[in-house]
Every structure is written in structure tokens, then in C-alpha cells.
Amino acid sequence: MAREVLDLLQFIRARRNNVLRSLLETGRAQVTLRSELTISHQTPEIVYISTTTDAPSELQIVSESGLAVAVVDVDLHADVDAVLASGLDIVITMQGHDLNFTAPEIVAPD
């Protein structure tokens, strides 16, 4: 697994706030959404990301109950797409406007 993570790191852009880089290095990453929320969770809630079939397509954040709670801001699409396409097992949670990604196999044990 470590070799694959190192290989992925080589292909990541060198931007300062690269979400995938953060996820691969620490097992955790976060983006803050500016879009309006249908529900604002006060505690971390597990969510999923789904692509709409509308044109232009959107990345919707969907609660476990299936309710669309927010849309990923367009300028964050590339970063979120990179995380989703990484092949990592990730858990996505949302608290307030913060969308959090955790890769349990990378996070160092406490």
C-alpha cells in the first residue's frame, strides 16, 4: 500500500492546498464549501458525493438518508474528483460547511 501512495504522490500537482496530497500524506483532508446548505450538521455526519445528470453536471453532497444537502463549489470539483478517483477507501463527513475526507488505512493510529 505504501508504494502505491508514494506513486500517487508523484503525480499530484504542487499546489499549496491540494486536497489529495493532504489525504495521501496524513489520511485526512478538508474543504470548506461556500454554497448554500439544505441541512447544516452540528456534529460530523457521513455523506456521499454523487454526480448529477444535469448539464452542467454538479457534485451533490447527499446524506445517508438520500437527501441532497449541498453542492460542491465549481472551483473545488477538480480536487474532490481527484480524491474520489484515487481508489482509496475514504469516509466522507460533513459538519457545517466543512467537507472532511478520511482514509482510515493511511491515518496513523493514536
Side-chain angles (χ1 to χ4, degrees):
M1 174 67 180
R3 177 66 188 177
E4 290 90 8
V5 171
L6 291 175
D7 288 344
L8 279 172
L9 278 171
Q10 291 178 352
F11 292 102
I12 296 175
R13 294 173 283 166
R15 292 188 318 161
R16 284 178 62 196
N17 295 326
N18 189 286
V19 177
L20 183 56
R21 175 183 294 278
S22 220
L23 186 65
L24 291 171
E25 290 176 345
T26 67
R28 300 181 200 285
Q30 179 180 28
V31 296
T32 300
L33 304 174
R34 294 177 309 282
S35 60
E36 190 173 317
L37 305 179
T38 304
I39 297 175
S40 180
H41 299 289
Q42 299 307 310
T43 58
E45 298 287 333
I46 292 178
V47 294
Y48 303 92
I49 297 178
S50 137
T51 304
T52 65
T53 56
D54 301 336
S57 67
E58 295 180 329
L59 295 177
Q60 281 189 332
I61 300 165
V62 181
S63 69
E64 282 191 297
S65 65
L67 178 66
V69 296
V71 174
V72 175
D73 301 304
V74 173
D75 61 321
L76 298 173
H77 277 206
D79 284 328
V80 172
D81 276 335
V83 168
L84 298 176
S86 70
L88 294 170
D89 247 349
I90 56 171
V91 176
I92 307 169
T93 59
M94 189 168 177
Q95 181 174 359
H97 279 81
D98 294 331
L99 188 62
N100 303 289
F101 302 93
T102 305
E105 68 267 19
I106 296 174
V107 175
D110 293 329

